[in-house]
Amino acid sequence: MKLALFDLDHTLLNTDSDHSWGEFLVNEGLVDPVRHRAMNDKFYEDYKAGQLDPIAYNEFVFEFLTQHDNTYLTELHELFMHKVIRPQMRPEGFTAIEKHRDAGHALVGITATSDFITAPIFREFGINEIIATNAEVVEGKYTGKVINTPCYQKGKLTRLDQWLAGRDVSESWAYSDSINDRFLLEYADHAIAVNPDDRLEALAKEQAWEIQDWSI
């Protein structure tokens, strides 16, 4: 297998889908604006600093999911796609995905953000194999809990190993913007830093990794 791994937030997207979802709920008047924005912003700063508690953050995100049925959540996510996500989808991301697809490579989206938020976004990019932080669903309802290892930092490699299930990878590429993904980039034969944060940019230069600008 030849494998192309794509991070989502600030890589394929010009924004962070997790933080943007929280802002979307505030702007739509669906959550307490003061509490939700304060917590959303604090978790986002923790993420950028590489100090996020992924269980605590995702359980905060999942609170809203537990309060509504799936039909409503699906409709709300489509509104989120329309208002927030589609304008932030990077054309260079589509180009890179198609290059790997044309070469016959396996395409995998791999993100710390939850599957609820990211699966529809990855599918719109044409990626159907998705490794994300998983929200527990029991009898069709979100419980508010995280199941499996959170797909964050070294957890991405744990989850990737589970997905591979012993299949051999002969060559791999990984695309990301964040120092949180240094382990994923170190794993790949070809590491591509996409609009990297300051710490990842320094590491990419030190390791002679390719740096690309996908900004729009």
Side-chain angles (χ1 to χ4, degrees):
M1 177 191 294
K2 294 192 175 184
L3 181 64
L5 300 158
F6 291 90
D7 176 52
L8 183 65
D9 299 319
H10 291 295
T11 302
L12 293 177
L13 294 178
N14 217 45
T15 190
D16 183 283
S17 60
D18 226 353
H19 186 261
S20 293
W21 172 255
E23 282 292 298
F24 169 75
L25 295 180
V26 169
N27 293 335
E28 294 295 312
L30 299 173
V31 291
D32 179 293
V34 176
R35 172 186 177 270
H36 203 89
R37 179 167 280 147
M39 292 185 70
N40 197 39
D41 289 350
K42 172 63 166 62
F43 281 123
Y44 188 41
E45 291 304 314
D46 288 348
Y47 173 79
K48 289 189 288 186
Q51 300 170 347
L52 180 69
D53 179 336
I55 299 288
Y57 181 42
N58 280 284
E59 288 185 351
F60 160 70
V61 174
F62 297 163
E63 282 176 14
F64 182 82
L65 306 185
T66 67
Q67 299 164 14
H68 302 280
D69 64 43
N70 286 335
T71 299
Y72 173 78
L73 291 172
T74 299
E75 292 172 353
L76 191 63
H77 196 289
E78 175 53 33
L79 184 63
F80 173 61
M81 293 289 293
H82 173 70
K83 284 189 170 184
V84 179
I85 294 300
R86 290 190 183 106
Q88 301 296 332
M89 297 174 82
R90 288 173 163 170
E92 291 293 334
F94 282 102
T95 300
I97 289 165
E98 288 311 305
K99 179 188 75 173
H100 285 286
R101 189 192 311 282
D102 290 346
H105 301 164
L107 306 174
V108 175
I110 186 163
T111 177
T113 302
S114 73
D115 45 4
F116 168 78
I117 292 173
T118 61
I121 304 173
F122 275 126
R123 286 196 289 265
E124 195 137 327
F125 273 107
I127 295 176
N128 295 313
E129 294 292 338
I130 299 155
I131 305 171
T133 298
N134 297 131
E136 184 181 56
V137 177
V138 176
E139 296 181 355
K141 290 282 291 181
Y142 288 98
T143 68
K145 299 297 183 184
V146 174
I147 56 170
N148 211 327
T149 302
C151 195
Y152 173 66
Q153 294 185 348
K154 288 184 178 179
K156 282 196 173 182
L157 295 183
T158 300
R159 296 293 307 280
L160 177 60
D161 283 344
Q162 291 171 354
W163 182 85
L164 286 169
R167 288 175 288 181
D168 291 329
V169 177
S170 61
E171 192 172 9
S172 59
W173 292 257
Y175 296 81
S176 181
D177 70 293
S178 174
I179 192 63
N180 286 299
D181 282 340
R182 67 172 298 165
F183 308 106
L184 185 71
L185 293 166
E186 288 168 348
Y187 158 86
D189 299 304
H190 309 282
I192 300 94
V194 177
N195 298 90
D197 61 35
D198 291 344
R199 285 177 295 166
L200 181 58
E201 183 175 11
L203 180 64
K205 289 176 178 176
E206 176 186 308
Q207 298 293 330
W209 292 343
E210 187 174 353
I211 298 174
Q212 295 185 5
D213 181 1
W214 292 4
S215 58
I216 56 175

